[in-house]
Amino acid sequence: MAATDEAVGGRRRGRAGGGGAARRAERTAVVSETARVIERLVPTVEVLDTEALERIEDAAEQVLAEIGVNFVDNPAALARWRDAGADVQGERVTFPRGLVRGLCATAPGRFTQHARNPAKSVDIGGDRLVLAPVYGPPFVLDLDGHRRYATIADFHDFVKLGQMTPWLHHSGGTVCEPTDIAANKRHLDMLLAHMTLSDKPFMGSVTEPERARHSVEMCEILFGADFVAQNTVLTSLININSPLTFDSTMMGALETYAAAGQACILSPFIVGGAMSPVTVAGTLVQVLAEVQVAIAYSQLIRPGAPVIFGAFVTSIDMNSGAPTFGTPEASQVIFGAGQLARRMGVPFRSGGGFTGSKLPDAQAGYESANSLNTALLAGVNFMLHACGWLEGGLVASPEKFVMDADQLGALHRLAARPAVDDMTLAMDALREVGPGGHFLGCAHTQANFKTAFWRSGVLDYRPFETWEDDGAPDTRRLANAKARKMLADYQPPALDPAIREALEAYIARRKDEVADAFA
Amino acid sequence: MAATDEAVGGRRRGRAGGGGAARRAERTAVVSETARVIERLVPTVEVLDTEALERIEDAAEQVLAEIGVNFVDNPAALARWRDAGADVQGERVTFPRGLVRGLCATAPGRFTQHARNPAKSVDIGGDRLVLAPVYGPPFVLDLDGHRRYATIADFHDFVKLGQMTPWLHHSGGTVCEPTDIAANKRHLDMLLAHMTLSDKPFMGSVTEPERARHSVEMCEILFGADFVAQNTVLTSLININSPLTFDSTMMGALETYAAAGQACILSPFIVGGAMSPVTVAGTLVQVLAEVQVAIAYSQLIRPGAPVIFGAFVTSIDMNSGAPTFGTPEASQVIFGAGQLARRMGVPFRSGGGFTGSKLPDAQAGYESANSLNTALLAGVNFMLHACGWLEGGLVASPEKFVMDADQLGALHRLAARPAVDDMTLAMDALREVGPGGHFLGCAHTQANFKTAFWRSGVLDYRPFETWEDDGAPDTRRLANAKARKMLADYQPPALDPAIREALEAYIARRKDEVADAFA
């Protein structure tokens, strides 16, 4: 599939090369095929008109001026806000109208996150769409069908699947929680996996400010300290404690990354009706207020620090309180948030292959496809959770990973506009075939069929009888076989052994500094 | 679910009432809940710019002028075309530039198809979206898991499910082929089922011109002859034999319906790369040429006859030759065809819950959701196959029917724009809750939670443990239970017994006229 697609495997030119490790990798690596970042040429769906957008923006200003936000356990942040002109009472910060929006103006509209393989560096912002895998599940539904706590071995498998997936531009971050390693040490093993098992860009740790510092230091080993000082090599996920609360752990990680010029996704995590008002418009007001404060704060730390306007928003089943996914209200929030982000001129993160299902079944398919299509048409620039997500994010699934990843290939095609030119208008074919004929054998078809249609690497189109003779496999079974084959075929990208040794020595030293903690 | 949705159950006002049967039904029927036809307020996705659209229109004119189309076994049609100014050589008809487009000008941009329950009449065209079930499968995958030939009992079940589904506006036509009834008689039983088991609008027979006449005559019994003479009570599916061929069976049915002022969907049936060029643009050229000829021909029969621009287009797996569904190229064709239909100013039919899967599994979910979302955003006005379709249309499935129908509820919500006003902006809720609180108990949530979010009637959001204790059902199993319950709960809409008797007498007379034929 990938080999026949023209969008895959091309090396990107005209980009500043990576550091020493990157240059060495470029010379020696077996180049694995990865599609170029999506250039979204289809128009975005604009569900809100200008008047509605302005009302939401005005209401967000009102929230910031009248209600404000809490910066918890963070006297330095309070001092920064006071100095910037905000009103600080206890931990509550309120903002004169225009202050926050004004501070956001220095955030770049677009930036490059470098990979150690420069061909896999990604542009984030504008009309680009970067796809990254699932983030955060403590459980896996493994290839033997067991739902259990995730381990570092599972983590390695997901990074390998990501490296093998041509439609995934980014290796992600916590693709699952390696719960068999101490909570205060596992970030080191996760980073090592991304750095050695993949040559795609990746994310840093956010669970303690110190772990963010470790992430940057490991990147200095991988890319060279000079390169890291001058370039963005990490994009990390900073969640906001909605409603309107900024805790010192996440803000501490943001402070570390922003000071180092590394990128952060600043993302309210909202189950609508619980952590935000039960309406689409009210949720957008809150999302905008929260994201603006976070972006403004990043610019207080370092003007020009790269950021992404994040919106993780889902709806809720008001009878059971369970979060729901792939629903129309979640789509409306994502469409609207995309419009608000574009008006601010910053990159936008949302979407993913979301589902509440416990299995990779029809529910998972409907909900994930709804979410993926919405994300593309909402103008998302960075899509976390693009593949592998199950059970409301509690579970990572290798079967779901390859199913979703297959759909990401389709998304690449859907993002393009159909070409209309002499070749595609196909007048010669229409003349050659004429009324009542068929096009399978005509010259135009023969010349173009290889690249004409997206082709699934998972789904089944065999005739019923053939499929039945083969045991009548459902999608889950087909995906299981595909995931097993990908893991069997996996080959690590080349890496300078000296760098690998230096990374391992760094990790050993850091691990020796502290006792294991599983909290 | 339905009972709490404000869009459901409202009676449509300001409409001319139906005939005698309709008025009697209105007095006596238990009003079953059906959502209003969708008013699509979200913008359409315009994948082609004006220049591209004009090139496609120009190429279609070129096809009509240089290549032409065949009207097979239809001397009357050839004579009509000759009289209209076309060039006829044998069965090939070519058209001076502008002739066909000019004839299309009398086709109405919008029309009403009346149901015997006037509250369920549907507006077709403009910004309206009417949803109708699967059409044509010879097989069913039944509720016991058996794939077998469909029977009239299955047909009755699908009509009952359609009647029970609030999100389906239309009862459809050949919801499955009742293969246990002679091919030359089954249309009578199918019509009787739609007329008696449902009070929604329905489709007529197209498999012989005589059967189209029977369809109209049965409607004259149901609605009254005067009402049928003055109103549209049937919308029927006329497939074009792509490429560029119009057979006498389908054209004969079109002639019958158009002369009677009844609506037809004029629809190329295309597997791209086989029945049309392998490119999106080339397929659109052919679709436009074919549809324009069919619409023009309907207007030659009766200027002003109601029609729908149809496009059933799917892609092909060029390795196996199998048709594929829910693919990006199919979406691009549907987006483009919607633009072309809007430029002609006629209603547009496309889309559906399409899948190539043999099972209602994840593949079915992904592909169907892709198709449904595309259809909404492509501005489809009449969506056939909206629910129940499996295995490339070979199979109708009651499980898939209720899964898709559930998603159609979501589509109703997605079609609306999110409201932005004082209530939805929710400043009071944001003030009441403040930083760090939660919204579940606040006054705004309590006042609005019942209608805030679309709620699935099939999908599972229970916690893992609860779900596991209940036997860990996948979506198929949940849908199976729901379909069984709907069929058990079904109650027929009231119908004047005299009309029912007259319909049965008509059918008995028609069946006596001919011997059974299964070909």
Side-chain angles (χ1 to χ4, degrees):
Chain A
M1 172 185 67
T4 63
D5 194 292
E6 62 191 4
V8 167
R11 295 187 72 79
R12 313 182 69 191
R13 298 288 173 194
R15 166 175 311 290
R23 279 191 296 275
R24 282 188 292 278
E26 192 168 27
R27 281 196 303 273
T28 60
V30 176
V31 177
S32 69
E33 288 172 333
T34 299
R36 289 192 193 91
V37 165
I38 291 177
E39 185 181 1
R40 190 185 47 70
L41 298 176
V42 290
T44 50
V45 171
E46 312 278 317
V47 299
L48 299 172
D49 59 22
T50 303
E51 187 191 338
L53 291 163
E54 286 173 351
R55 286 204 67 179
I56 290 167
E57 289 167 347
D58 184 68
E61 286 284 359
Q62 208 179 333
V63 167
L64 296 178
E66 295 177 18
I67 304 171
V69 305
N70 284 359
F71 272 75
V72 180
D73 290 338
N74 197 338
L78 298 173
R80 284 191 189 96
W81 279 120
R82 201 176 285 114
D83 291 348
D87 182 53
V88 178
Q89 304 289 337
E91 295 190 322
R92 180 73 60 97
V93 187
T94 50
F95 309 87
R97 276 187 172 257
L99 172 65
V100 169
R101 183 167 280 271
L103 285 169
C104 292
T106 53
R110 193 164 172 159
F111 63 92
T112 298
Q113 182 186 353
H114 294 269
R116 72 171 168 98
N117 177 350
K120 298 188 180 178
S121 297
V122 292
D123 284 340
I124 298 173
D127 57 3
R128 301 305 157 109
L129 170 53
V130 173
L131 302 172
V134 62
Y135 187 105
F139 299 103
V140 293
L141 180 62
D142 70 21
L143 290 171
D144 297 321
H146 300 129
R147 182 183 183 274
R148 54 170 176 73
Y149 277 105
T151 66
I152 191 70
D154 298 311
F155 192 100
H156 288 171
D157 281 352
F158 285 113
V159 174
K160 290 175 183 176
L161 289 174
Q163 173 71 2
M164 296 282 283
T165 299
W167 310 116
L168 210 55
H169 314 110
H170 202 281
S171 194
T174 308
V175 288
C176 62
E177 279 288 347
T179 60
D180 53 342
I181 299 178
N184 60 343
K185 298 181 176 178
R186 64 177 68 141
H187 64 289
L188 301 164
D189 300 272
M190 293 195 274
L191 283 159
L192 184 68
H194 285 301
M195 291 178 173
T196 58
L197 300 175
S198 174
D199 62 357
K200 298 184 180 183
F202 54 87
M203 306 170 80
S205 177
V206 295
T207 50
E208 285 292 346
E210 190 187 34
R211 297 173 198 160
R213 190 166 50 78
H214 296 169
S215 304
V216 174
E217 288 170 356
M218 286 180 71
C219 284
E220 289 171 349
I221 298 171
L222 183 69
F223 290 90
D226 287 352
F227 190 81
V228 172
Q230 292 162 36
N231 294 284
T232 299
V233 297
L234 286 168
T235 296
S236 305
L237 177 63
I238 304 296
N239 276 137
I240 296 160
N241 281 5
S242 302
L244 303 170
T245 305
F246 297 78
D247 67 57
S248 59
T249 301
M250 283 287 172
M251 287 304 104
L254 169 59
E255 290 155 13
T256 303
Y257 286 127
Q262 300 305 310
C264 286
I265 306 167
L266 303 167
S267 206
F269 179 96
I270 291 179
V271 178
M275 283 97 106
S276 77
V278 77
T279 51
V280 169
T283 298
L284 286 170
V285 169
Q286 184 183 315
V287 164
L288 182 60
E290 291 175 345
V291 171
Q292 284 185 328
V293 168
I295 292 179
Y297 187 62
S298 74
Q299 304 302 303
L300 282 182
I301 301 295
R302 174 168 163 165
V307 290
I308 300 176
F309 180 132
F312 178 97
V313 178
T314 188
S315 49
I316 192 172
D317 177 351
M318 296 301 293
N319 282 39
S320 68
T324 51
F325 296 90
T327 59
E329 293 80 15
S331 291
Q332 290 176 333
V333 170
I334 295 172
F335 284 131
Q339 293 184 264
L340 294 168
R342 285 190 289 285
R343 283 166 68 90
M344 285 184 66
V346 291
F348 176 48
R349 169 256 161 150
S350 196
F354 295 130
T355 179
S357 185
K358 271 72 73 179
L359 298 171
D361 60 358
Q363 175 173 354
Y366 284 113
E367 292 177 336
S368 299
N370 287 345
S371 305
L372 292 171
N373 282 291
T374 293
L376 174 69
L377 295 173
V380 164
N381 300 114
F382 189 93
M383 196 199 302
L384 198 58
H385 310 298
C387 58
W389 163 294
L390 211 59
E391 201 184 317
L394 284 175
V395 171
S397 155
E399 291 159 347
K400 180 75 168 12
F401 195 106
V402 301
M403 287 182 197
D404 288 334
D406 189 57
Q407 292 291 310
L408 299 180
L411 219 57
H412 278 73
R413 299 292 287 250
L414 193 58
R417 280 176 188 270
V420 177
D421 53 31
D422 286 344
M423 187 286 276
T424 59
L425 286 167
M427 283 301 295
D428 288 350
L430 288 159
R431 279 195 200 92
E432 181 185 337
V433 173
H438 74 79
F439 291 80
L440 286 172
C442 79
H444 181 264
T445 304
Q446 290 301 309
N448 295 295
F449 79 90
K450 280 189 183 166
T451 56
F453 297 131
W454 168 73
R455 192 164 175 238
S456 170
V458 177
L459 306 181
D460 195 293
Y461 297 111
R462 293 174 291 177
F464 179 80
E465 293 72 16
T466 318
W467 169 80
E468 195 180 36
D469 288 347
D470 191 33
D474 66 3
T475 319
R476 183 179 181 184
R477 193 128 61 89
L478 295 167
N480 190 292
K482 167 120 183 161
R484 287 181 190 275
K485 178 163 173 28
M486 287 171 75
L487 291 172
D489 291 349
Y490 169 79
Q491 293 207 323
L495 178 66
D496 185 333
I499 289 176
R500 188 184 179 96
E501 281 161 30
L503 289 168
E504 286 169 349
Y506 176 90
I507 290 174
R509 196 165 68 244
R510 287 295 178 208
K511 286 193 172 181
D512 280 347
E513 290 172 1
V514 288
D516 283 1
F518 278 86
Chain B
M1 172 183 68
T4 63
D5 195 291
E6 60 191 5
V8 168
R11 296 187 72 79
R12 311 182 70 192
R13 297 288 173 195
R15 165 176 311 291
R23 279 192 296 276
R24 281 187 292 278
E26 192 168 26
R27 281 197 302 272
T28 59
V30 175
V31 178
S32 68
E33 288 173 333
T34 299
R36 289 192 192 90
V37 165
I38 292 177
E39 185 180 1
R40 190 187 46 71
L41 297 177
V42 290
T44 51
V45 172
E46 313 277 317
V47 299
L48 299 172
D49 59 21
T50 303
E51 187 191 339
L53 290 163
E54 287 172 351
R55 287 203 66 180
I56 290 167
E57 289 167 346
D58 183 69
E61 287 283 358
Q62 208 179 333
V63 167
L64 296 179
E66 295 177 19
I67 304 170
V69 305
N70 284 358
F71 272 75
V72 180
D73 292 337
N74 197 339
L78 298 173
R80 285 191 190 96
W81 279 120
R82 201 177 284 112
D83 292 349
D87 182 54
V88 179
Q89 303 290 334
E91 294 190 322
R92 181 73 60 99
V93 187
T94 51
F95 309 87
R97 277 190 171 253
L99 171 66
V100 169
R101 185 167 277 272
L103 286 168
C104 292
T106 53
R110 191 165 173 160
F111 63 92
T112 298
Q113 181 185 354
H114 293 271
R116 71 171 169 99
N117 178 349
K120 297 188 181 179
S121 297
V122 291
D123 285 341
I124 299 174
D127 57 3
R128 301 304 158 109
L129 170 53
V130 172
L131 302 172
V134 61
Y135 187 105
F139 299 103
V140 293
L141 180 62
D142 69 22
L143 290 171
D144 297 322
H146 300 128
R147 182 184 184 275
R148 55 170 174 74
Y149 278 104
T151 65
I152 190 70
D154 298 312
F155 193 101
H156 288 170
D157 281 352
F158 285 114
V159 174
K160 290 175 182 176
L161 289 174
Q163 174 71 1
M164 295 282 284
T165 300
W167 311 115
L168 210 55
H169 315 109
H170 202 283
S171 195
T174 308
V175 287
C176 62
E177 279 287 348
T179 60
D180 52 343
I181 299 179
N184 59 344
K185 298 181 176 178
R186 67 177 66 142
H187 63 289
L188 301 164
D189 299 272
M190 292 195 276
L191 284 159
L192 184 68
H194 285 301
M195 291 177 173
T196 58
L197 300 176
S198 174
D199 61 357
K200 297 184 180 183
F202 53 86
M203 305 171 80
S205 176
V206 297
T207 50
E208 285 292 344
E210 190 187 33
R211 296 172 198 162
R213 192 165 50 78
H214 297 168
S215 305
V216 174
E217 287 171 356
M218 286 180 71
C219 284
E220 288 170 349
I221 297 171
L222 184 69
F223 290 90
D226 288 351
F227 189 81
V228 172
Q230 292 163 38
N231 293 284
T232 298
V233 297
L234 286 168
T235 296
S236 305
L237 178 62
I238 303 295
N239 276 137
I240 296 160
N241 281 5
S242 302
L244 302 171
T245 304
F246 298 77
D247 68 58
S248 59
T249 301
M250 283 287 172
M251 287 304 104
L254 169 59
E255 290 155 14
T256 303
Y257 286 126
Q262 300 305 310
C264 286
I265 306 166
L266 303 166
S267 205
F269 179 96
I270 291 179
V271 179
M275 284 97 106
S276 78
V278 77
T279 51
V280 169
T283 297
L284 286 170
V285 169
Q286 183 183 315
V287 164
L288 182 60
E290 291 175 345
V291 171
Q292 285 185 327
V293 168
I295 292 179
Y297 186 63
S298 74
Q299 304 302 302
L300 281 182
I301 301 295
R302 174 167 165 166
V307 291
I308 301 176
F309 180 131
F312 178 96
V313 179
T314 188
S315 50
I316 192 170
D317 177 351
M318 296 302 292
N319 282 39
S320 68
T324 51
F325 296 91
T327 60
E329 293 80 16
S331 290
Q332 290 175 333
V333 170
I334 294 173
F335 284 130
Q339 294 185 263
L340 294 168
R342 285 191 288 284
R343 283 166 67 91
M344 287 184 65
V346 291
F348 176 49
R349 170 255 161 153
S350 195
F354 294 131
T355 179
S357 184
K358 269 73 71 180
L359 297 171
D361 61 358
Q363 175 174 354
Y366 284 113
E367 293 177 334
S368 299
N370 287 344
S371 305
L372 292 171
N373 283 291
T374 293
L376 174 69
L377 295 173
V380 163
N381 300 115
F382 189 93
M383 196 199 300
L384 198 58
H385 310 298
C387 59
W389 161 295
L390 213 57
E391 202 184 317
L394 284 176
V395 171
S397 154
E399 291 159 348
K400 180 76 167 13
F401 195 105
V402 302
M403 287 182 197
D404 288 334
D406 190 56
Q407 291 290 309
L408 299 180
L411 219 58
H412 279 73
R413 299 293 287 251
L414 193 58
R417 283 177 187 269
V420 178
D421 52 32
D422 285 345
M423 187 286 275
T424 60
L425 286 167
M427 284 301 296
D428 287 349
L430 288 158
R431 278 194 201 92
E432 179 183 340
V433 174
H438 73 80
F439 291 79
L440 286 173
C442 79
H444 182 264
T445 303
Q446 290 302 310
N448 295 294
F449 79 89
K450 280 190 183 166
T451 56
F453 297 130
W454 168 73
R455 190 163 177 237
S456 171
V458 177
L459 305 181
D460 196 293
Y461 298 110
R462 292 174 291 177
F464 179 81
E465 292 72 17
T466 317
W467 169 81
E468 195 180 34
D469 287 347
D470 190 34
D474 66 3
T475 319
R476 184 178 180 185
R477 193 128 63 89
L478 295 167
N480 190 291
K482 167 120 183 161
R484 288 180 190 274
K485 176 161 175 29
M486 287 171 74
L487 291 172
D489 291 348
Y490 169 80
Q491 292 206 323
L495 179 66
D496 185 334
I499 289 177
R500 188 184 179 97
E501 280 161 31
L503 288 168
E504 285 169 350
Y506 176 90
I507 290 174
R509 197 164 71 243
R510 287 295 178 209
K511 285 194 174 181
D512 280 346
E513 289 171 1
V514 287
D516 282 1
F518 277 86

